[in-house]
Amino acid sequence: PGLEFLRARGDALAAAALEASDSTRSLRLRWLPDDSRAVVADRPFPETPAAERRAYDDDELDALAVAMAVAKLCYLRGDLDRAVRLVAAIEPFRVASAVPLHRTTVRNEHAFYCCLAQILAVDDRRAAPTSTRTLLVHVCGDSHALAPAWKRFPLSPDLDAVLRPALVTGLKHWHLRPDSDFYPKRNFYAMFGLDTADDAASPEVRALGLG
């Protein structure tokens, strides 16, 4: 749905995001800490003079939010090549905003996006498997679950553990108490394909407590 929304817009951001999504190129990012932005490792990054920065209207902010959300979903699914390409496509538009995006209506999408953009630029998670078997370890939490996501650890010569993010909106006792009917509780159980806390657990290991 996010890509269809962008396709219907047909503007420069939409074109860049759709091209990045459809491409098969493998890119690498690097992070510029002084500028707080990601750039493609082997390319110059064009500066955006202050005079050329623009105040995005509500529709343009919505488009940025959707593009950032698509990048986040790709990251959560483990489609890291596509997430990297989307970050490379989105960054020129993000830094061209005359108003810091954390002060706009898309601040939540922007916060998640900046987190994953920095992760992908600083610590590439696309290492080839070193074993024939994989044990998935679900790391369940809110935004904290992004940082360890997709790291791979050898457990034995033929077994690797891979940290898979399970992003939820809350997992404190208050969220999950028996009499709670708050959205985070339903989101938590849905993340693991469960209906209630009494359902059988899957054989995959889960690391909780990051919410």
Side-chain angles (χ1 to χ4, degrees):
L3 291 176
E4 290 304 316
F5 172 86
L6 293 172
R7 187 170 284 112
R9 286 184 58 84
D11 59 9
L13 168 64
L18 290 168
E19 180 185 359
S21 178
D22 293 340
S23 174
T24 57
R25 292 177 302 163
S26 182
L27 303 177
R28 291 194 176 274
L29 302 172
R30 61 189 175 94
W31 186 256
L32 304 182
D34 292 339
D35 299 321
S36 296
R37 67 188 185 197
V39 298
V40 178
D42 58 351
R43 296 183 195 167
F45 189 83
E47 296 289 342
T48 304
E52 295 182 13
R53 294 177 185 260
R54 51 179 303 186
Y56 292 121
D57 61 29
D58 288 345
D59 287 343
E60 291 169 322
L61 286 173
D62 285 347
L64 265 173
V66 169
M68 291 174 178
V70 171
K72 180 182 75 173
L73 290 173
C74 289
Y75 180 79
L76 293 173
R77 291 173 51 192
D79 192 350
L80 303 186
D81 277 327
R82 182 169 293 174
V84 166
R85 292 194 299 269
L86 284 165
V87 169
I90 292 167
E91 280 295 87
F93 297 92
R94 182 180 75 86
V95 301
S97 176
V99 179
L101 293 177
H102 67 271
R103 299 179 184 173
T104 70
T105 56
V106 302
R107 56 187 174 275
N108 288 341
E109 292 82 4
H110 180 251
F112 275 105
Y113 167 83
C114 286
C115 181
L116 72 90
Q118 187 169 0
I119 290 168
L120 291 170
V122 171
D123 185 9
D124 198 313
R125 311 288 168 89
R126 294 174 289 178
T130 59
S131 65
T132 56
R133 296 187 299 136
T134 297
L135 172 69
L136 286 179
V137 179
H138 289 276
V139 180
C140 184
D142 53 20
S143 59
H144 304 84
L146 298 182
W150 306 117
K151 280 185 170 290
R152 181 178 290 269
F153 301 95
L155 298 179
S156 70
D158 67 338
L159 178 63
D160 281 356
V162 176
L163 305 184
R164 180 174 183 175
L167 184 65
V168 297
T169 54
L171 49 69
K172 297 181 177 68
H173 292 298
W174 184 81
H175 294 123
L176 304 178
R177 68 191 190 281
D179 59 340
S180 172
D181 59 0
F182 193 30
Y183 166 76
K185 181 178 180 180
R186 174 55 55 192
N187 175 234
F188 174 83
Y189 291 130
M191 176 58 63
F192 293 109
L194 306 176
D195 289 327
T196 70
D198 297 327
D199 282 350
S202 78
E204 296 166 337
V205 179
R206 295 170 186 163
L208 305 177
L210 297 177

